[in-house]
Amino acid sequence: MAEARNVRQQIEERERTLLGPDACLAVNTRGRQRPEEECESRTCFQRDVDRIVHSKSFRRLMHKTQVFLAPEGDHYRTRMTHTVEVMRIARTIARGLALNEDLTEAAAFGHDLGHTPFGHAGERALNEIAPGGFRHNEQSIRVVELLEKNGEGLNLTWEVRNGILCHTGDTPAETLEGRIIHLADQIAYINHDIDDAMRAQIIFPMDIPLHLLQGLGFSHSQRINTLTADVIAASTDSHTIRQSPERKEQMAQLREFMFEAVYRNPVAKGQESKAQDLIKYLFDYYCRNPDALPGDFQDIRYRESVERAACDYIAGMTDNFAVEVFSDLTLPKAWTVK
């Protein structure tokens, strides 16, 4: 056991030696919600990575929409592949800035655990009907603190939870590693959504404004590299995570182009209203029939509210499971003699 314990200590010592002065060292963590004995072979942040990757909510991301609902084809992004792409961009930035890659990886892997089925369409639907609204970053925190492991949560470190919570919105994460996720998420989704939209023939290469292609790159990989390298260059010795003014403006223009050409495109988003109606139906059904909620959510029903329990249950559904439940509740079944 002494040798295994030395593995973690050696990693922690390497962090002190190799990471920069702005990095969050594992030994300096603010800790977990519930104290635990240290792992003998992994730092606290490495342990958090494993807890997230082995969680049920992480596996469900495989069957949750990124942009296109139920696309026919194996190469469209899902919430899972989006998460992996965010993680890789984030780790590259962290490595370039001598920050803690393990903390960055954990926050990236966990940032969308609370996302709804049907992507942002599902999020908007729950935000309209759930008391207090619905925001997927806050739901991701509920997942890791409460909903995973039969109500125990994953008991992640404070720094990882803070990075997950602050990956979107106006409040920056406390650590630079957490702040990376905010930009890595945007870099990933804007560029892979372009790739998927072209695959779906919603847009074509010549549709993207030429000055943006000239500034950021003509291919997916060129744009990712340009924006990632820019974050590293602009953030070096700045004690923050940022983009250069030029690249920030170009990415903002590219995002606006995507909203006009894809995110608000009636062809690409033609099924979203049906998905939102489905979400709203399920929410109303479980609020009127709380006994139909699975046993895992009955405690939330009584401790908080039936609306909260219904929201938690629906937010955790995959696209296919939500459709299956809706079908079971609304479509007649053939009568058979057993």
Side-chain angles (χ1 to χ4, degrees), residues 155 250 295 320:
N155 200 27
Q250 289 171 338
N320 291 339

Side-chain angles (χ1 to χ4, degrees), residues 160-221:
V160 172
R161 288 182 283 125
N162 178 254
I164 291 171
L165 178 64
C166 297
H167 84 270
T168 187
D170 297 328
T171 303
E174 291 288 330
T175 66
L176 295 190
E177 289 85 355
R179 295 182 189 185
I180 288 173
I181 310 305
H182 179 74
L183 278 178
D185 186 31
Q186 295 181 43
I187 292 171
Y189 82 70
I190 289 172
N191 286 284
H192 65 49
D193 290 353
I194 290 173
D195 194 38
D196 282 355
M198 288 184 180
R199 180 171 290 108
Q201 297 187 335
I202 300 298
I203 61 173
F204 297 90
M206 67 285 297
D207 294 332
I208 302 174
L210 180 60
H211 73 281
L212 296 181
L213 295 177
Q214 291 172 330
L216 297 175
F218 286 86
S219 70
H220 174 78
S221 60

Side-chain angles (χ1 to χ4, degrees), residues 140-169:
S140 295
I141 292 298
R142 279 187 67 84
V143 168
V144 301
E145 291 185 350
L146 175 66
L147 300 179
E148 271 289 339
K149 296 187 69 174
N150 301 315
E152 293 183 8
L154 300 179
N155 200 27
L156 304 180
T157 55
W158 183 90
E159 292 79 8
V160 172
R161 288 182 283 125
N162 178 254
I164 291 171
L165 178 64
C166 297
H167 84 270
T168 187

Side-chain angles (χ1 to χ4, degrees), residues 10-35:
Q10 290 168 10
I11 296 171
E12 292 171 345
E13 186 58 38
R14 285 201 298 271
E15 286 187 353
R16 293 189 187 95
T17 303
L18 298 177
L19 298 187
D22 292 327
C24 180
L25 304 182
V27 293
N28 293 334
T29 178
R30 297 192 193 182
R32 305 181 185 277
Q33 290 177 291
R34 300 183 302 276

Side-chain angles (χ1 to χ4, degrees), residues 15-175:
E15 286 187 353
R16 293 189 187 95
T17 303
L18 298 177
L19 298 187
D22 292 327
C24 180
L25 304 182
V27 293
N28 293 334
T29 178
R30 297 192 193 182
R32 305 181 185 277
Q33 290 177 291
R34 300 183 302 276
E36 294 182 6
E37 184 178 348
E38 291 280 7
C39 178
E40 297 175 335
S41 57
R42 296 167 295 169
T43 69
C44 58
F45 299 142
Q46 291 174 333
R47 200 174 187 185
D48 284 355
V49 170
D50 293 337
R51 289 182 178 187
I52 292 170
V53 170
H54 289 282
S55 69
K56 292 185 292 185
S57 53
F58 184 79
R59 292 195 293 275
R60 289 197 298 268
L61 296 177
M62 185 187 310
H63 301 293
K64 291 193 177 189
T65 289
Q66 174 59 29
V67 172
F68 295 96
L69 299 182
E72 293 184 2
D74 295 332
H75 298 147
Y76 290 93
R77 268 74 173 188
T78 65
R79 191 62 55 178
M80 168 76 80
T81 56
H82 160 74
T83 295
V84 173
E85 292 183 37
V86 171
M87 183 275 293
R88 290 307 308 162
I89 293 170
R91 282 202 68 143
T92 298
I93 294 171
R95 187 180 305 118
L97 295 172
L99 297 176
N100 195 313
E101 294 181 50
D102 296 321
L103 169 54
T104 306
E105 182 176 18
F109 271 144
H111 83 281
D112 269 355
L113 291 180
H115 225 298
T116 59
F118 312 118
H120 288 289
E123 181 175 20
R124 288 193 296 270
L126 280 182
N127 189 48
E128 289 178 14
I129 57 180
F134 180 91
R135 289 157 290 277
H136 76 272
N137 57 321
E138 296 174 0
Q139 187 66 17
S140 295
I141 292 298
R142 279 187 67 84
V143 168
V144 301
E145 291 185 350
L146 175 66
L147 300 179
E148 271 289 339
K149 296 187 69 174
N150 301 315
E152 293 183 8
L154 300 179
N155 200 27
L156 304 180
T157 55
W158 183 90
E159 292 79 8
V160 172
R161 288 182 283 125
N162 178 254
I164 291 171
L165 178 64
C166 297
H167 84 270
T168 187
D170 297 328
T171 303
E174 291 288 330
T175 66

